[in-house]
Amino acid sequence: MTESDTASDVTASTKPVRMRRSPGGRHRFLGVRLTEVEERQIRHLAEKAGLSAQRFVVEAALSGSAAVAAQRRRAQRDAERARLILASISNNVNQLAKWANTNHVLPDTFAACIDDIRRATSAVTDTAQRLGSAFEPER
């Protein structure tokens, strides 16, 4: 990889996400020879997917489609963000509950807040189930 390749990865609007560690590491190497045009096309597609060219080629080969792999990864990131937001909301509700127990009174907006949380949780659950079924392997 040249210095300019590294610079283009870092300057992209979404920096490529580092691969998760694999138990035992990754010790195998597979070389592929490309024409300049093929390499340029792969790098362009990888950049659009927010991946390194190497990761793009691996995911395309293993999943049969780099687009599906990119969608799956994006869905996983979105689900993780939603989980963090719900965890934050849970923390806030616990703080409100502690305040209410200490003061022996509930804020006027507490019931509406709980309804909002219930709807948000339901939406996240429904989306997660839809995403899960969309990425199930074909039989």
Side-chain angles (χ1 to χ4, degrees):
M1 186 181 275
T2 66
E3 187 175 317
S4 65
D5 295 335
T6 305
S8 67
D9 284 346
V10 175
T11 58
S13 62
T14 55
K15 184 178 174 184
V17 179
R18 184 174 172 86
M19 291 184 351
R20 287 191 178 157
R21 293 192 182 264
S22 179
R26 290 180 169 87
H27 301 288
R28 299 293 188 185
F29 176 82
L30 179 64
V32 178
R33 292 186 183 271
L34 304 167
T35 66
E36 279 186 48
V37 172
E38 290 169 335
E39 180 188 17
R40 211 172 21 250
Q41 289 173 337
I42 288 173
R43 289 193 184 280
H44 174 72
L45 291 170
E47 186 177 320
K48 281 177 47 180
L51 300 172
S52 68
Q54 295 82 356
R55 185 78 240 158
F56 180 83
V57 170
V58 168
E59 289 188 6
L62 293 178
S63 72
S65 169
V68 170
Q71 288 173 342
R72 178 179 290 146
R73 197 176 32 270
R74 219 173 290 120
Q76 287 172 331
R77 281 195 307 262
D78 291 346
E80 179 60 20
R81 283 187 199 117
R83 188 192 68 74
L84 291 172
I85 290 169
L86 288 175
S88 174
I89 290 170
S90 171
N91 185 43
N92 292 345
V93 169
N94 284 338
Q95 290 172 354
L96 282 172
K98 182 178 180 180
W99 181 88
N101 284 331
T102 301
N103 295 304
H104 303 292
V105 63
L106 285 174
D108 294 337
T109 60
F110 192 74
C113 179
I114 295 298
D115 287 339
D116 289 344
I117 292 168
R118 213 174 267 126
R119 279 194 303 277
T121 303
S122 178
V124 168
T125 301
D126 293 345
T127 301
Q129 288 172 344
R130 272 197 320 274
L131 286 172
S133 64
F135 292 119
E136 288 180 359
E138 295 180 18
R139 295 182 184 152

